[in-house]
Amino acid sequence: MKNFILLFSLLIITSFSAQAQLSKPPVYVGCDDVQIDDLNGCFSEKLKADVISEFKVPENVEKEGFKGTVNAIFLVTKEGEFEVLYVNSVYPELEEEVKRVFQTLPKIQPATFNGRPIDERYQFPIAIPLSDNTKKVVVVEDKKDIEQEIPNLENTLFPEFQSELNIPFVHQEYDDIIYHLNKSENTHTSSKPYLFNEVKPYIDLEAKRTKMLKKRETWGGRKLHNEHLALVKGKDFWFTLNPVFDLQLGKDNSDVDYTYNNTRGLQIQGSIGKKFSFSTSFYESQGRFADYVNDYAKVRTPPESYGVVPGRGRAKKFKEDSFDYPVAEAYLSFTPSKFFNFQFGNGKNFIGDGYRSFFLSDVASPYPFLKISTTFWKIKYTNLWMWMDDVRPSAVTNDSNFRKYVAMHHLSWNVTKRFNIGLFESVITNEESSPNGFDISFFNPIIFYRAVEFNRGSRSGNANIGLNMKYRIKDNISVYTQFLIDEMTTSRVFDGTGYWGNKFAFQLGGKYYNAFKVDGLMLQGEFNWVRPYTYAHGDTKLNSGHYNQPLAHLWGGNFYEVIGIARYSKERWFGNAKLIAGKKGFDFVSEGEDTNYGGDIWRSYDERVGDEGNEVGQGNSTNIFIADFQGGYVLNPVTNLQIFGGVTFRNFSPDESGDVISENNTTWFTIGLRSSLFNWYFDN
């Protein structure tokens, strides 16, 4: 027995020794004859000597007497070249100098594993003054170790990049992030918004912002173009305060003299420690929009209200024909470990890889929510509980909105390095369907909602299930799809009868990043198709809507559309072009006509036109074409403050026109100054 234990121990030791010999550090110039155990030390000393001898501290840094550490995270590539990944410095000039110095370094022998060249990641703490450099260059074993290597928050102008805050979900800004996530292994892109710390291992957003900084000597110049208005920070905490604006002036082809939006707001953000972050924003707004937007805002108007501004919330009358609409958003974000993030607040979420989503979009107004994100192995699991408001006059009692409750699960699984599958389910319930309000069963983070709904009865809730997939053809080309089932009778899907109970939606799209080798150009194509009566319910208080807008696609049900999008950005300049063409079936507005053709999710499907013969676009068939073009310049990347201009063309042609649905051709010009921190959709 003793001999067996001795033999087993020797085998283990031999195994570990063999494993150790499989890896070999990079060989710097002058280290060729050094023993393998001393290569790391030689690499550190030779590299540090070359960097320090070449490094020139910028004049303004010396003049201001800066003393501190510039942390550089760099890669020795499998080709033996140096690539700077991250530089943490309060001075952009120091970052540029680090990058310049690393470009002068010689090509060396790369690190190897089992005889094959590999990339190796290192951290170099460069002390200022240069005479204080005593620390070694050390290897970063894992991408996520970068978070631990970055020094305290006192050394950065932009502490949000090292926080658990959400990156504001704006399609233009997310294009570049998603491109870098697509290039990396085991990343999840469908559940948005992302956390800053979540994407930090894959894209250096702080370096991207630093490149955009302008040289401004005055306090006012720095605050306008580069910095937070106010920043208070310590070793393990920080707070920022910024004004936000959306000041627009425009003209459409209606009788009004001009359109406008006048939003003034304040945003406060911060972190306490490394695991807890918070954000709160308040907007005070008045506006008048193009006629088709104004008309939409006044449909299903709640009592003592002038309307609901799409995507923002309830409004009261301002002057003769404008809206006054305050908006407040806030959330707390807590990440106790690398596996979990908890958020509670009032805001928006999005699930999907397309411009539209059939699961959950950011079209509707902000809402209270609780979200738990769990990430492990190749899985990201998102739980969402949301509280929605039905503000239709028929639902409001005693000037109080009717409250309904929504629970969602989404599981994202990276099947391979290129192929991702997502499984989705949701349920909507309310106090009337459950005497005790939100049924405790729906708080279960892993239960199947469809089973709960079945056990409690079909009128107890509105459950949906779905599947989404994404395949990365190349690093810069991906295709995606979504398939949502509201209801489906399998035996009648392909029988050709147009059975009303087959309520589902289908999406297919693709994205092409850095298209045709043009950096910053993204092209996207998308097709969306939704059956009649999808998202509706027999009980209208259980539909998939909030504040008079759908939770998913803003067209509701009974339509198809084709979308083409081109986005381009370079430094602070940007431009967008979007074309949408589709057909939607509305209800007829003739006198005495009261049949539901499946396009209005606020009507009961019990009023349907028939059990069979239902097809997409039925009813008051309407051709819709929208062309939208925008361009601008980013004044301050901190709040994405932009000067912009745009034009929207919209053609809306129903078979039959009336007071509610009527033919409309709109040309809408707009210019303005805005803090672009959320998506605002006017393509309904």
Side-chain angles (χ1 to χ4, degrees):
M1 185 66 180
K2 292 182 179 179
N3 291 335
F4 175 77
I5 294 174
L6 179 61
L7 178 62
F8 184 70
S9 301
L10 289 173
L11 287 173
I12 293 176
I13 295 171
T14 304
S15 175
F16 276 112
S17 300
Q19 179 71 20
Q21 294 302 315
L22 290 175
S23 299
K24 180 181 178 181
V27 181
Y28 201 81
V29 176
C31 299
D32 305 77
D33 299 328
V34 174
Q35 296 293 319
I36 190 170
D37 291 341
D38 298 324
L39 278 177
N40 271 325
C42 184
F43 173 82
S44 176
E45 292 303 316
K46 296 286 187 181
L47 172 64
K48 187 165 68 172
D50 283 355
V51 169
I52 299 305
S53 65
E54 177 66 24
F55 203 95
K56 297 178 177 59
V57 179
E59 291 184 7
N60 64 320
V61 177
E62 287 188 335
K63 184 178 179 180
E64 296 179 15
F66 171 76
K67 292 184 179 181
T69 301
V70 180
N71 261 278
I73 305 295
F74 67 92
L75 195 71
V76 178
T77 70
K78 61 184 66 176
E79 290 79 23
E81 298 175 343
F82 290 86
E83 179 182 339
V84 176
L85 301 177
Y86 181 91
V87 180
N88 186 30
S89 171
V90 70
Y91 291 94
E93 293 86 356
L94 280 175
E95 179 183 354
E96 292 302 318
E97 178 62 13
V98 170
K99 292 179 178 179
R100 183 195 68 81
V101 170
F102 269 78
Q103 289 176 352
T104 67
L105 296 175
K107 188 172 182 178
I108 65 174
Q109 296 179 34
T112 59
F113 182 81
N114 200 21
R116 297 180 179 179
I118 60 170
D119 295 336
E120 193 75 279
R121 196 175 301 254
Y122 287 88
Q123 180 216 6
F124 188 172
I126 305 173
I128 307 294
L130 297 175
S131 58
D132 293 343
N133 277 279
T134 57
K135 295 183 178 180
K136 294 182 178 181
V137 179
V138 296
V139 67
V140 178
E141 298 292 348
D142 189 275
K143 289 181 180 179
K144 294 189 176 180
D145 289 345
I146 294 176
E147 300 175 11
Q148 302 171 3
E149 301 296 342
I150 301 302
N152 67 55
L153 297 170
E154 295 177 302
N155 293 332
T156 178
L157 279 173
F158 311 114
E160 60 268 26
F161 291 111
Q162 302 172 41
S163 74
E164 303 304 315
L165 287 173
N166 292 330
I167 304 171
F169 178 39
V170 180
H171 288 295
Q172 175 83 39
E173 305 304 315
Y174 267 55
D175 285 339
D176 189 47
I177 297 174
I178 294 173
Y179 167 60
H180 284 81
L181 292 179
N182 283 348
K183 292 196 302 180
S184 304
E185 296 180 12
N186 201 25
T187 58
H188 304 270
T189 58
S190 55
S191 184
K192 304 176 179 74
Y194 308 142
L195 301 176
F196 280 106
N197 272 339
E198 181 182 8
V199 306
K200 189 167 63 176
Y202 310 105
I203 176 174
D204 191 345
L205 292 174
E206 186 167 5
K208 181 182 176 182
R209 179 177 295 179
T210 302
K211 289 179 181 179
M212 298 175 68
L213 297 183
K214 290 184 170 294
K215 292 184 178 180
R216 294 291 185 267
E217 301 296 333
T218 65
W219 180 89
R222 295 197 309 272
K223 298 303 177 183
L224 176 62
H225 291 284
N226 296 333
E227 300 177 6
H228 296 282
L229 178 64
L231 170 60
V232 179
K233 57 185 178 179
K235 183 177 181 180
D236 53 5
F237 73 90
W238 61 269
F239 305 97
T240 62
L241 182 148
N242 289 295
V244 289
F245 304 98
D246 190 348
L247 310 175
Q248 301 185 25
L249 187 65
K251 181 70 176 74
D252 69 347
N253 52 347
S254 67
D255 294 333
V256 299
D257 293 333
Y258 57 90
T259 64
Y260 73 95
N261 190 65
N262 178 21
T263 295
R264 298 87 58 213
L266 193 66
Q267 182 187 70
I268 301 173
Q269 295 184 320
S271 285
I272 301 174
K274 295 181 179 180
K275 299 180 179 180
F276 178 78
S277 301
F278 70 90
S279 175
T280 181
S281 305
F282 177 76
Y283 305 88
E284 177 60 36
S285 305
Q286 296 82 37
R288 179 176 62 224
F289 311 97
D291 263 3
Y292 74 93
V293 179
N294 297 334
D295 292 342
Y296 187 94
K298 297 173 185 177
V299 173
R300 295 179 291 271
T301 300
E304 299 182 9
S305 173
Y306 189 58
V308 175
V309 174
R312 304 310 290 151
R314 179 179 289 193
K316 63 182 180 180
K317 190 172 184 178
F318 179 72
K319 296 184 178 180
E320 289 301 317
D321 53 1
S322 300
F323 303 92
D324 186 345
Y325 58 103
V327 180
E329 297 180 276
Y331 65 92
L332 306 174
S333 179
F334 177 57
T335 304
S337 72
K338 65 180 181 179
F339 300 110
F340 298 102
N341 173 258
F342 297 85
Q343 289 194 9
F344 177 69
N346 191 73
K348 300 184 182 185
N349 294 275
F350 188 101
I351 300 176
D353 288 296
Y355 175 68
R356 312 287 201 190
S357 173
F358 291 142
F359 297 167
L360 177 65
S361 181
D362 58 338
V363 167
S365 305
Y367 45 80
F369 70 90
L370 170 65
K371 180 166 70 171
I372 303 175
S373 300
T374 306
T375 306
F376 64 96
W377 186 52
K378 299 179 180 181
I379 298 292
K380 181 171 183 178
Y381 187 53
T382 303
N383 292 96
L384 260 173
W385 295 275
M386 300 168 285
W387 289 259
M388 303 293 183
D389 286 312
D390 190 338
V391 298
R392 295 171 300 149
S394 60
V396 174
T397 57
N398 299 322
D399 198 29
S400 179
N401 299 342
F402 183 81
R403 178 57 58 88
K404 55 187 173 184
Y405 313 98
V406 184
M408 291 184 177
H409 298 157
H410 182 258
L411 186 146
S412 174
W413 173 33
N414 287 319
V415 182
T416 70
K417 295 178 180 180
R418 297 183 178 271
F419 183 48
N420 173 273
I421 288 180
L423 302 175
F424 169 83
E425 64 171 347
S426 69
V427 68
I428 302 173
T429 185
N430 57 43
E431 294 179 355
E432 293 181 353
S433 60
S434 176
N436 298 318
F438 194 32
D439 192 304
I440 192 65
S441 299
F442 296 129
F443 276 110
N444 190 325
I446 57 175
I447 202 168
F448 290 102
Y449 292 142
R450 183 64 85 174
V452 176
E453 182 205 34
F454 179 81
N455 288 328
R456 297 181 66 237
S458 62
R459 297 285 175 163
S460 66
N462 182 5
N464 296 327
I465 59 174
L467 170 73
N468 66 281
M469 294 182 289
K470 186 180 78 171
Y471 183 76
R472 178 166 52 91
I473 300 173
K474 295 182 178 180
D475 286 348
N476 64 331
I477 300 176
S478 61
V479 293
Y480 57 88
T481 184
Q482 271 190 350
F483 184 62
L484 177 126
I485 301 175
D486 190 343
E487 292 183 34
M488 180 180 289
T489 303
T490 308
S491 62
R492 305 202 64 177
V493 173
F494 301 108
D495 65 1
T497 62
Y499 180 58
W500 79 275
N502 289 326
K503 303 188 298 176
F504 52 86
F506 175 73
Q507 177 187 84
L508 179 64
K511 294 182 179 181
Y512 184 14
Y513 300 94
N514 293 335
F516 306 112
K517 299 183 179 180
V518 178
D519 290 343
L521 175 63
M522 192 282 300
L523 301 179
Q524 180 178 5
E526 185 172 297
F527 173 74
N528 297 302
W529 185 86
V530 184
R531 288 272 299 164
Y533 309 107
T534 306
Y535 300 113
H537 197 270
D539 180 354
T540 59
K541 293 179 180 178
L542 291 174
N543 73 342
S544 297
H546 166 64
Y547 261 94
N548 290 349
Q549 281 197 289
L551 294 179
H553 196 296
L554 80 172
W555 286 12
N558 191 21
F559 71 88
Y560 66 83
E561 70 168 348
V562 178
I563 304 175
I565 298 174
R567 305 187 197 279
Y568 178 74
S569 61
K570 184 176 182 180
E571 297 175 349
R572 296 194 178 212
W573 296 96
F574 68 91
N576 302 319
K578 178 173 58 182
L579 299 176
I580 300 175
K583 177 175 288 189
K584 175 174 170 62
F586 291 89
D587 296 336
F588 285 103
V589 293
S590 303
E591 184 176 350
E593 176 70 48
D594 193 29
T595 303
N596 180 5
Y597 285 89
D600 188 348
I601 68 172
W602 279 270
R603 295 195 62 180
S604 171
Y605 55 53
D606 292 338
E607 303 169 355
R608 57 187 175 271
V609 66
D611 287 352
E612 297 182 347
N614 295 282
E615 59 183 22
V616 172
Q618 68 182 13
N620 192 0
S621 185
T622 302
N623 291 314
I624 303 173
F625 174 78
I626 299 171
D628 183 79
F629 306 94
Q630 289 195 11
Y633 179 81
V634 177
L635 278 177
N636 190 334
V638 169
T639 57
N640 205 15
L641 182 64
Q642 308 170 349
I643 299 174
F644 77 97
V647 58
T648 300
F649 302 97
R650 178 179 180 268
N651 180 269
F652 190 84
S653 302
D655 289 342
E656 180 181 302
S657 293
D659 294 335
V660 179
I661 301 297
S662 60
E663 186 168 353
N664 179 274
N665 291 295
T666 300
T667 302
W668 185 16
F669 295 94
T670 307
I671 58 172
L673 174 72
R674 69 183 175 197
S675 301
S676 184
L677 298 174
F678 55 86
N679 298 308
W680 203 357
Y681 302 90
F682 294 118
D683 42 23
N684 56 297

